[in-house]
């Protein structure tokens, strides 16, 4: 879901809720108190949700940092190892092999 769609839906819900509450058959003071309580409750919910998301982002960041460190250590280990000597080629043996190859 796109964030702008979510914001639009929340704004529409809030507007509809506010209109319904304001048009309800109760005194203005009671209505304002009810609106205030709902706003505070929703604010607390949003703050809790934001803190949860921040914690998840921090956990993901820590996990990625660990994986990057492991990759860097792995690359360092691979670079420190000597080259495989089975690939070392003696130029004289190449010349001998080329001389023995059939030509077209």
């Amino acid at each position: 879901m796109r964030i702008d769609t979510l914001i639009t839906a929340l704004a529409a819900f809030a507007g509809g809720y506010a209109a319904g509450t304001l048009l309800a058959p109760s005194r203005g003071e009671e209505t304002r108190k009810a609106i205030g309580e709902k706003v505070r409750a929703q604010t607390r919910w949003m703050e809790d949700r934001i803190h949860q998301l921040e914690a998840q982002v921090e956990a993901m960041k820590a996990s990625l940092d660990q994986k990057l460190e492991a990759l860097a250590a792995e690359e360092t280990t691979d670079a420190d190892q000597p080259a495989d000597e089975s690939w070392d080629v003696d130029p004289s043996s190449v010349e001998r092999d080329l001389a023995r190859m059939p030509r077209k």
Side-chain angles (χ1 to χ4, degrees), residues 3 20-21 31 34 38 46 55 57-58 62 64 74 91 94 96 103-104:
I3 192 73
T21 304
T31 302
K38 294 289 184 179
M46 288 295 288
V57 167
E58 287 299 319
L64 286 174
E74 186 177 302
V94 172
R96 274 193 322 266
R103 298 177 191 215
K104 289 187 179 183

Side-chain angles (χ1 to χ4, degrees), residues 8-91:
T8 303
L10 287 173
F13 174 78
Y17 183 80
T21 304
L22 291 173
L23 297 174
S26 55
R27 294 186 358 209
E29 183 179 326
E30 292 172 4
T31 302
R32 286 189 298 276
K33 184 177 177 182
I35 290 172
E37 289 172 359
K38 294 289 184 179
V39 167
R40 282 187 291 281
Q42 289 300 314
T43 301
R44 282 190 301 273
W45 180 85
M46 288 295 288
E47 288 173 348
D48 290 344
R49 185 67 180 134
I50 287 170
H51 291 304
Q52 290 172 357
L53 291 173
E54 286 173 343
Q56 288 176 349
V57 167
E58 287 299 319
M60 288 175 158
K61 183 182 178 295
S63 174
L64 286 174
D65 287 343
Q66 288 176 347
K67 290 177 181 178
L68 286 173
E69 288 174 10
L71 281 174
E74 186 177 302
E75 287 177 4
T76 303
T77 304
D78 290 344
D80 292 342
Q81 294 179 353
D84 186 7
E85 292 181 15
S86 65
W87 289 97
D88 290 341
V89 178
D90 180 23

